[in-house]
Amino acid sequence: MIIAVDGPLAAGKGTISKALAEFYGLPHMDTGKLYRGVAYRLLSTGLSPQDAETAAKVARSLSMDGIEDADLRTAQVGAAASVVAANQAVRQALFDLQRNFALQAGGAVLDGRDIGTVVCPEADVKLYVSASPEERARRRQTELEALGEVISFEAMLAQTLERDARDSGRADAPLRPAEDSHLLDTTGLSIEAAVDKARLIVEQVRLAKS
Ligand code: DC
């Protein structure tokens, strides 16, 4: 079974995908990490995420070895990831990695922005996870605080809206719900409640298909 989980920044898709992967015993790929990995490699060697040719070169030879999760979660890397993600050559270079992961025997859970629309249009279950921009900004602010980055709520909300606009507005594989996706709004939901809802959707789809 392939489960595609898409949605904007801090909507809860990572938590939900990990829980689904564990529940169904499937491998999980956070595809945002690949874009963040490209951004991190560029920034840590003093290169610009706007340099399209170099970004594509880095994506084609991407190795995540030696990169810690904490390196990838910073606001700077997140913003640069969104810039490299608008680069078509970068997306092309990262496509096979994601596609091969999805096609492994038994299936997989992948989360990102274009899993249900581009990477796995044939996925068995597609979830589109969203939440209000204010709630997503609050969650991201808490996450960054835990990493030692202090940022005001207003600045976080502005960054969230800017990121939404860039991810949804790009020409190649923009963020949008696949037509056959199931919408899950996590605003006001606890992690447990959001995961329960996601599992219920997957079970309903499986039942309908059986
Ligand atoms: O999910 P995230 O915040 O870690 O993703 C970082 C950036 O990568 C995000 O701004 C958009 C991009 N991305 C993408 O374009 N396609 C994906 N499948 C995953 C992430």
Side-chain angles (χ1 to χ4, degrees), residues 51-97:
D51 177 347
E53 230 169 87
T54 309
K57 218 181 275 175
V58 168
R60 281 193 286 269
S61 62
L62 183 67
S63 153
M64 301 296 281
D65 289 350
I67 305 182
E68 302 293 329
D69 261 5
D71 296 331
L72 299 178
R73 297 307 309 170
T74 65
Q76 194 197 14
V77 168
S82 169
V83 172
V84 301
N87 176 333
Q88 200 200 354
V90 168
R91 303 200 71 82
Q92 210 172 341
L94 300 180
F95 178 84
D96 284 348
L97 287 174

Side-chain angles (χ1 to χ4, degrees), residues 9 13 31-32 35-36 73 78 81-82 85 91 98 112-115 163 167 170:
L9 175 77
K13 57 189 190 309
T31 64
Y35 294 91
R36 287 175 182 265
R73 297 307 309 170
S82 169
R91 303 200 71 82
Q98 300 171 75
R113 301 292 191 287
D114 62 339
I115 308 303
R163 190 91 90 75
D167 291 345
R170 66 180 178 230

